[in-house]
Amino acid sequence: MSISVNNLTKIYGSQKAIDAINFSVRTGEIVGFLGPNGAGKSTTMKILTGYMEATSGSAVVNQFDVAKQSMSARASIGYLPEHNPLYLDMYVAEFLQFIGRLYGIKKPLLNERIEEMIEICGLKNERHKQIGQLSKGYRQRVGLAQAFIHQPQVLILDEPTTGLDPNQLVEIRQLITTLGKDKTVLLSTHIMQEVEAICSRVIIINRGRIVADDALQNLRGGD
Ligand code: ADP
Ligand code: ADP
């Protein structure tokens, strides 16, 4: 298992955001994490990526307990948060340098990785632009490029296509499929079509509880 979530619970004040959830994701899967706003998707993802502590339970990514071995866990995870904290005044290539250094990647390897990500993510004409000048779709490309700069095995993508126009949507889904090949991807969304477009399995969460976890063909067969 690349991702394993065990009885994970998060309580904010008196609000139970996730309630003893369990699921796992195998290497090579692209799994949709589907649920309405407020269901607990972002909370789960923030715990998986080590940005937030669980109230109880555990999360294991690439055999690292994210609470106890957070540095090792983070090194193996690429994360695209929903509210992507991109630095709007930074230039695209400069931003990728900055993120790469945070991961401790040294030149000249870092320069190679940056060129590779610019190529794969279709950012050739944007590399000398400031992030603030880019459209939402191109910002998401930058977001994916930074999430992938250290070649993680596991990708955690929080609502990666929300707010994109139809053309951008197709392009970003294609890019996620390309980057996610042979990796482990957990992608949150509140749209079933998103899951149908790129996922092989779906985990449905509602009010902090997992209400379905199945291969897509089985869910379709059920209705
Ligand atoms: P989703 O990502 O599915 O929209 P969230 O994980 O963001 O859901 O939120 C789950 C629940 O927890 C919601 O009711 C939300 O209002 C609440 N919540 C999220 N973050 C916080 C927070 N920092 N403090 C208090 N409540 C929060
Ligand atoms: P998300 O779905 O990513 O949590 P939101 O727009 O719901 O996005 O929340 C933005 C920020 O506010 C997040 O950091 C979230 O944890 C926090 N938040 C969400 N709901 C609440 C809440 N009810 N009380 C306090 N903070 C919240």
Side-chain angles (χ1 to χ4, degrees):
M1 289 307 167
S2 279
I3 301 176
S4 172
V5 166
N6 313 295
N7 282 318
L8 203 66
T9 296
K10 177 72 186 183
I11 303 171
Y12 298 107
S14 59
Q15 160 96 22
K16 212 177 233 185
I18 52 171
D19 188 2
I21 64 172
N22 291 283
F23 67 83
S24 53
V25 183
R26 285 179 294 274
T27 308
E29 284 188 300
I30 299 188
V31 173
F33 195 33
L34 179 72
N37 273 335
K41 304 183 296 295
S42 290
T43 298
T44 305
M45 289 179 149
K46 284 175 196 165
I47 294 169
L48 274 173
T49 50
Y51 284 87
M52 191 185 265
E53 271 184 49
T55 304
S56 60
S58 66
V60 179
V61 176
N62 280 325
Q63 289 159 9
F64 300 113
D65 184 307
V66 297
K68 296 180 189 141
Q69 299 160 288
S70 61
M71 292 301 280
S72 304
R74 273 199 204 190
S76 67
I77 300 171
Y79 177 39
L80 180 60
E82 183 182 9
H83 302 286
N84 199 357
L86 294 175
Y87 297 82
L88 299 182
D89 59 346
M90 272 193 171
Y91 296 87
V92 170
E94 179 195 15
F95 175 67
L96 294 177
Q97 283 272 354
F98 169 68
I99 297 293
R101 282 200 209 108
L102 289 184
Y103 280 109
I105 310 169
K106 298 208 166 49
K107 287 181 184 174
L109 180 61
L110 177 54
N111 287 338
E112 276 173 37
R113 293 267 172 85
I114 291 169
E115 292 313 313
E116 194 185 355
M117 291 320 299
I118 284 177
E119 173 76 33
I120 296 171
C121 297
L123 289 165
K124 271 190 184 154
N125 297 324
E126 281 67 37
R127 62 181 301 146
H128 298 304
K129 289 185 184 159
Q130 285 178 303
I131 293 169
Q133 296 177 303
L134 303 179
S135 67
K136 177 108 207 266
Y138 275 96
R139 283 186 203 181
Q140 281 308 70
R141 290 177 192 233
V142 176
L144 286 167
Q146 67 79 30
F148 216 68
I149 195 85
H150 57 305
Q151 298 185 320
Q153 282 306 307
V154 172
L155 277 176
I156 308 261
L157 310 176
D158 197 351
E159 305 243 0
T161 64
T162 297
L164 299 183
D165 71 31
N167 290 331
Q168 294 170 341
L169 193 70
V170 170
E171 290 168 5
I172 296 297
R173 284 178 181 167
Q174 177 63 51
L175 183 54
I176 292 169
T177 306
T178 302
L179 291 172
K181 192 171 182 313
D182 302 326
K183 309 290 179 197
T184 303
V185 184
L186 183 68
L187 173 154
S188 76
T189 176
H190 53 269
I191 308 166
M192 186 61 185
Q193 287 96 300
E194 176 102 337
V195 175
E196 290 178 332
I198 51 180
C199 302
S200 56
R201 185 154 73 88
V202 63
I203 296 170
I204 304 178
I205 183 167
N206 192 26
R207 296 171 182 245
R209 289 184 164 266
I210 306 292
V211 295
D213 180 348
D214 213 340
L216 218 52
Q217 67 231 40
N218 295 343
L219 281 187
R220 281 208 207 96
D223 61 25

